[in-house]
Amino acid sequence: MKNQNRRDFLKTAAGIGASIGIAGSVKPAKASEKTLSDDRFGILVDTDVCVGCRHCEWACRVAHNIPTPDLDTYSDNSVFKEYRRTDASSLTVVNEFENEKNSAMPVHVKTQCMHCEHPACVSACIVGAFSKLEDGSVVWDGDKCIGCRYCMVACPFQIPTYDYDRSIDPQIRKCDLCFEKRKTEKLPACVNICPNEALLFGKRDDIVRIAKSRIKRKYDVYIDHIYGEKEIGGTSWMYIAGKDFEKLKLPKLNYSPAPGISESIQHGIFAYFVPPVTLYALLGTIMWITRKKKGDDSEIKDETNQDKKGGAL
Amino acid sequence: MKKTILIISPLLVICAFAISTLFSQNKHQGLNETVDKLNRNVVVSGKKDDPLTEKISCKTCHVTEYPTRKDPGLRSCPRDKMLSGFPSSKTGPDVVVINEMSENYSGVRFSHGLHSQMSEMSLGCVDCHHYNISTEEILKCSDCHNKNRSREEVSVPDLKSAFHRQCMMCHKQWSHDNGCNSQCHVRKGQENNLVQKDFTGKIHPKQKEPEKMIWETNYEKGKIVTFFHDEHIQLFKINCKSCHGNDKCVKCHDKPLQPTDYSKPIHRKKSFEEHHMPCLNCHKSENCQKCHRDQEMTPFNHGKSTGWILKSYHSQLACEKCHGGQMPVKKIDRNCSSCHKNFLPGKFEHKKTGFVLSETHKDMECKSCHANNDFAKNPDCKECHDDKSFPSQLPGKRK
């Protein structure tokens, strides 16, 4: 009877643990699916149309209150000599690459946060400072951030940057798609200023369709691939180009979401206090078993003593 | 029994996590599939994966909910007014002021005349006035291109980008910068800074033409190719655009580009097809040796190439006078009467050849001197005169 009870207890404990584990891991995935709207935006960077005027860099700085030199100075081409990355004072940068087909028309590629469909930074952030909004943008809340910079490590595009120069209240900075500005002006600053509409802003589904038709129409110009359509589960910013994307320093990535496995394990383990509950359950079980064992031993000891006594008598 | 329970219980917990992890991965895959399906649904309403044959929504053309044959309720379409055949560059405007979007900038004075004069060498008017090919009116860019960047239908570029793409994609190649340095327009209030020429009545300067071009090729049976550019234009009257119809402006307008020195041999830079296509348009049935020789070719010589030396009157004639205007030239009979229909015995006035026959020779038959009526050869006197020969003694007077 005692044994039966113990087995029952263990069974239910394991059952509860497993069910919590499953429930915990399924819930977050569901949540991220829910937040994405069907009308979420997408932006196409048509590298064939971009002329590398860098007006987007200027507009971005102005929109984010970052000090900037006059717009006329941006036509200086010498910055293209070195490959540049985003930093705390430039949330977007345009780089120039050689065009083998026509040397007079170099390829220009604008880089910024890709606003992934399944963002690794959101998943990596331990305090929930990053969030993926319904319209597709990935934004950062400075009040929650503790400056751990896990997001910088997690990002497959190495985009989020840190205000290393500011000793007091340094910030994580990255493109926020002019989240505040769009409440009144509809378009992000870079899209608005682009003279050639090399940045096409619209519903993500429309953007993918337009990108496909452009590739089809100018089949001799573009390679047949939309970068970002499926990379790491899809991104909001997408690129079409006449040159291999790896040569344009856009990393070759899997089609499965970056945080897929890590997130499900993490969320599975940490959701609903599963680790402490299981730990206590495990410790409790061990304690309970070992206590019983001691009790058994003393009973046996008593019996043998009695036997000895009886034998003597 | 107790020991087994001790081992199994942690294992169970691990298993539970493993299962949960697997489940959540499947969940992500499922999401991907739905996203894929969504994308496909948008693209594939016509033929599969072909956006060009994609079905057009009825609402694109019909305003009414239920269009009938009597009342189709069609939207007015700007393409109804499209142009068939463009006016010549002379009748088009010299300068077009583009100021439709001049909120921050002054209007752009576009030298339409100069551009259109050269357009026939670079795809023609349609290169800029695209789709504008079937009626009598030239459409304004703003008829199709929306002034608003923030708009529902984004597949057609907005007006600002339509203008900029037309200009910058070409000018960027000349200036070797991003094209913004070209003085097109200045910010409002700074109009004095704009240094822009007046293009009214301007004519594009005549292009410099090379006399001949020599290529040094890798072709073993004849390394040297000579092309006589002047002959093709002046002698054969080939239209510029039949070879240069798809040239880029940057071919001549590249700023740091030095003028090509045509006295030196050119080495192949373009692909095989690019090099041969302009020639093959006309020289369809020629073999390689027609152009590929061991040494430089001499200019065209009618006598050497055909065996018919052009003298006096004939050398002054245009090729098409005898050979017709069509290329390739048609071969003609060497009989004088094949061109000169009135050169008949008795009717022919010999003084037209620059030689007046003496009274005694005037009424003789042609073939008495010109054996077999072959006028290309020198006349023969030996038929009648043993002691006379042409040209030391003449049967008349040179005029």
Side-chain angles (χ1 to χ4, degrees):
Chain A
M1 193 61 192
K2 269 179 192 171
N3 278 348
Q4 190 63 33
N5 279 344
R6 199 180 302 155
R7 202 176 294 143
D8 278 351
F9 170 77
L10 285 171
K11 265 186 192 168
T12 35
I16 290 164
S19 60
I20 288 173
I22 291 164
S25 63
V26 170
K27 277 262 167 83
K30 252 189 184 172
S32 70
E33 188 183 5
K34 245 183 192 173
T35 52
L36 283 178
S37 145
D38 284 345
D39 289 344
R40 66 189 182 280
F41 69 81
I43 302 175
L44 181 70
V45 182
D46 191 336
T47 59
D48 182 54
V49 181
C50 177
V51 287
C53 67
R54 293 170 58 224
H55 283 196
C56 48
E57 290 184 19
W58 177 82
C60 179
R61 288 206 177 99
V62 171
H64 293 89
N65 299 321
I66 300 168
T68 165
D70 193 65
L71 180 61
D72 295 336
T73 60
Y74 280 75
S75 48
D76 178 18
N77 267 11
S78 60
V79 288
F80 289 134
K81 279 175 193 158
E82 277 178 28
Y83 177 79
R84 296 178 303 146
R85 274 183 52 191
T86 50
D87 60 45
S89 65
S90 26
L91 312 185
T92 181
V93 286
V94 180
N95 282 299
E96 187 176 274
F97 298 90
E98 200 189 331
N99 183 357
E100 288 84 0
K101 290 173 194 165
N102 181 359
S103 60
M105 293 284 279
V107 185
H108 294 98
V109 180
K110 177 185 183 292
T111 41
Q112 71 296 307
C113 170
M114 299 285 276
H115 296 265
C116 307
E117 302 261 275
H118 308 281
C121 52
V122 174
S123 155
C125 186
I126 50 173
V127 289
F130 275 96
S131 47
K132 174 88 177 162
L133 302 181
E134 199 182 345
D135 70 351
S137 47
V138 177
V139 293
W140 171 83
D141 182 355
D143 295 338
K144 286 185 187 169
C145 180
I146 53 167
C148 69
R149 281 161 279 160
Y150 279 8
C151 49
M152 291 168 69
V153 184
C155 177
F157 303 98
Q158 306 186 346
I159 291 298
T161 57
Y162 191 66
D163 256 345
Y164 287 107
D165 298 341
R166 270 167 68 170
S167 47
I168 298 162
D169 191 24
Q171 310 238 317
I172 292 282
R173 306 212 75 160
K174 72 164 198 71
C175 161
D176 58 356
L177 256 157
C178 298
F179 176 68
E180 288 300 324
K181 194 173 146 61
R182 270 193 297 127
K183 285 175 186 166
T184 51
E185 292 182 30
K186 284 188 180 171
L187 293 176
C190 53
V191 175
N192 204 26
I193 201 167
C194 182
N196 275 14
E197 209 178 27
L199 313 172
L200 194 64
F201 187 92
K203 288 178 193 169
R204 192 176 189 273
D205 292 344
D206 288 349
I207 293 297
V208 171
R209 181 175 49 83
I210 290 166
K212 278 184 182 167
S213 82
R214 282 193 190 178
I215 291 171
K216 197 96 185 171
R217 256 179 229 177
K218 288 194 187 174
Y219 56 89
D220 52 340
V221 172
Y222 299 110
I223 54 168
D224 188 10
H225 182 73
I226 305 169
Y227 187 89
E229 186 196 1
K230 286 174 183 160
E231 270 77 7
I232 57 154
T235 56
S236 301
W237 283 77
M238 287 165 279
Y239 292 77
I240 50 174
K243 197 173 165 172
D244 195 36
F245 290 103
E246 264 183 285
K247 287 182 186 162
L248 302 175
K249 297 230 177 180
L250 290 166
K252 197 176 173 81
L253 296 165
N254 279 336
Y255 285 176
S256 53
I261 297 168
S262 58
E263 193 179 71
S264 50
I265 292 174
Q266 265 202 343
H267 289 197
I269 291 172
F270 290 107
Y272 297 98
F273 300 102
V274 173
V277 166
T278 29
L279 186 70
Y280 282 119
L282 212 72
L283 288 173
T285 325
I286 292 165
M287 270 176 70
W288 188 63
I289 290 165
T290 41
R291 183 183 59 83
K292 273 280 163 189
K293 247 188 182 175
K294 265 184 187 171
D296 287 353
D297 285 352
S298 56
E299 275 174 27
I300 296 162
K301 260 186 186 173
D302 288 349
E303 278 170 24
T304 43
N305 284 342
Q306 278 174 6
D307 286 352
K308 274 181 186 173
K309 277 177 187 171
L313 284 169
Chain B
M1 190 62 195
K2 288 168 196 165
K3 273 182 188 171
T4 27
I5 292 166
L6 260 176
I7 296 162
I8 286 169
S9 58
L11 271 178
L12 265 173
V13 176
I14 291 165
C15 277
F17 285 135
I19 290 164
S20 66
T21 316
L22 272 174
F23 257 82
S24 61
Q25 262 183 305
N26 282 341
K27 201 74 196 170
H28 275 292
Q29 275 172 11
L31 180 65
N32 273 349
E33 275 164 25
T34 41
V35 171
D36 269 1
K37 266 183 199 164
L38 263 175
N39 289 344
R40 239 176 281 144
N41 277 342
V42 173
V43 179
V44 193
S45 32
K47 239 183 202 178
K48 204 177 184 188
D49 283 340
D50 186 358
L52 284 185
T53 56
E54 190 184 337
K55 266 186 199 161
I56 301 163
S57 156
C58 309
K59 295 240 161 73
T60 314
C61 303
H62 299 280
V63 186
T64 45
E65 189 77 20
Y66 301 104
T68 58
R69 189 170 285 186
K70 271 185 182 171
D71 178 25
L74 286 170
R75 220 177 268 279
S76 70
C77 176
R79 286 194 193 179
D80 288 344
K81 293 187 251 159
M82 275 189 235
L83 192 82
S84 65
F86 287 89
S88 80
S89 58
K90 284 165 196 158
T91 53
D94 279 344
V95 176
V96 177
V97 178
I98 304 165
N99 56 4
E100 284 176 74
M101 302 196 72
S102 50
E103 287 160 17
N104 303 320
Y105 290 90
S106 65
V108 178
R109 291 176 61 80
F110 169 63
S111 58
H112 180 271
L114 281 174
H115 280 82
S116 62
Q117 281 160 33
M118 292 308 292
S119 69
E120 68 164 19
M121 288 176 83
S122 181
L123 296 173
C125 307
V126 277
D127 197 24
C128 296
H129 296 280
H130 55 193
Y131 296 126
N132 212 166
I133 39 173
S134 69
T135 57
E136 311 263 303
E137 191 185 336
I138 292 186
L139 297 183
K140 293 187 84 165
C141 304
S142 56
D143 283 359
C144 302
H145 297 279
N146 197 326
K147 281 185 188 175
N148 264 333
R149 177 147 294 182
S150 172
R151 59 201 190 277
E152 268 298 302
E153 175 53 47
V154 283
S155 59
V156 178
D158 73 339
L159 189 61
K160 181 174 159 189
S161 73
F163 281 136
H164 279 129
R165 284 185 200 183
Q166 288 280 29
C167 306
M168 283 164 111
M169 299 317 268
C170 192
H171 280 268
K172 172 183 148 72
Q173 298 183 52
W174 310 9
S175 57
H176 294 271
D177 57 20
N178 45 38
C180 294
N181 287 337
S182 330
Q183 289 274 321
C184 298
H185 47 177
V186 288
R187 279 179 182 277
K188 278 204 166 162
Q190 300 176 3
E191 277 87 348
N192 296 336
N193 295 352
L194 185 65
V195 194
Q196 208 174 33
K197 298 169 202 159
D198 184 19
F199 297 109
T200 325
K202 281 269 157 125
I203 293 168
H204 192 281
K206 202 173 181 308
Q207 300 92 284
K208 279 181 191 163
E209 293 158 13
E211 190 185 316
K212 64 176 176 185
M213 296 153 92
I214 303 150
W215 280 275
E216 235 175 62
T217 68
N218 298 327
Y219 185 60
E220 284 172 10
K221 289 177 188 168
K223 284 197 193 305
I224 308 289
V225 174
T226 323
F227 173 72
F228 290 94
H229 192 272
D230 57 346
E231 281 177 5
H232 280 77
I233 293 174
Q234 288 150 25
L235 215 54
F236 310 139
K237 302 277 188 298
I238 308 281
N239 198 332
C240 302
K241 69 176 172 190
S242 59
C243 298
H244 295 282
N246 193 10
D247 275 359
K248 299 272 178 286
C249 309
V250 70
K251 198 176 170 184
C252 299
H253 285 275
D254 198 346
K255 272 177 191 160
L257 189 79
Q258 295 297 313
T260 320
D261 181 5
Y262 289 108
S263 62
K264 286 177 191 165
I266 306 160
H267 291 272
R268 197 171 102 175
K269 280 177 200 156
K270 298 180 209 160
S271 71
F272 181 86
E273 284 77 16
E274 281 175 313
H275 256 294
H276 287 84
M277 268 324 284
C279 305
L280 286 174
N281 278 339
C282 300
H283 299 275
K284 275 171 194 145
S285 52
E286 318 274 11
N287 58 17
C288 306
Q289 266 71 33
K290 166 86 183 170
C291 303
H292 286 270
R293 305 285 176 89
D294 290 329
Q295 44 189 268
E296 209 185 300
M297 269 157 69
T298 49
F300 177 75
N301 182 311
H302 203 277
K304 269 189 188 172
S305 300
T306 64
W308 174 278
I309 304 164
L310 297 178
K311 290 185 208 166
S312 52
Y313 283 110
H314 284 123
S315 65
Q316 291 163 28
L317 291 175
C319 307
E320 64 263 27
K321 196 85 182 165
C322 304
H323 293 284
Q326 295 273 312
M327 279 289 176
V329 293
K330 70 170 187 247
K331 282 187 178 174
I332 44 171
D333 197 344
R334 290 183 185 186
N335 249 326
C336 301
S337 56
S338 62
C339 293
H340 303 279
K341 303 288 181 207
N342 56 349
F343 281 13
L344 297 167
K347 276 190 176 177
F348 180 64
E349 286 179 61
H350 205 282
K351 67 175 179 190
K352 274 193 173 173
T353 64
F355 189 84
V356 186
L357 286 176
S358 64
E359 282 298 317
T360 43
H361 289 92
K362 210 177 176 181
D363 296 327
M364 285 169 67
E365 272 190 57
C366 305
K367 64 180 174 188
S368 320
C369 299
H370 299 282
N372 301 325
N373 280 349
D374 186 353
F375 301 99
K377 281 182 185 169
N378 285 340
D380 189 11
C381 307
K382 293 249 159 54
E383 245 346 89
C384 307
H385 310 280
D386 288 336
D387 54 340
K388 297 210 164 130
S389 68
F390 185 84
S392 51
Q393 286 100 5
L394 298 171
K397 253 195 252 173
R398 285 205 187 276
K399 221 168 74 175

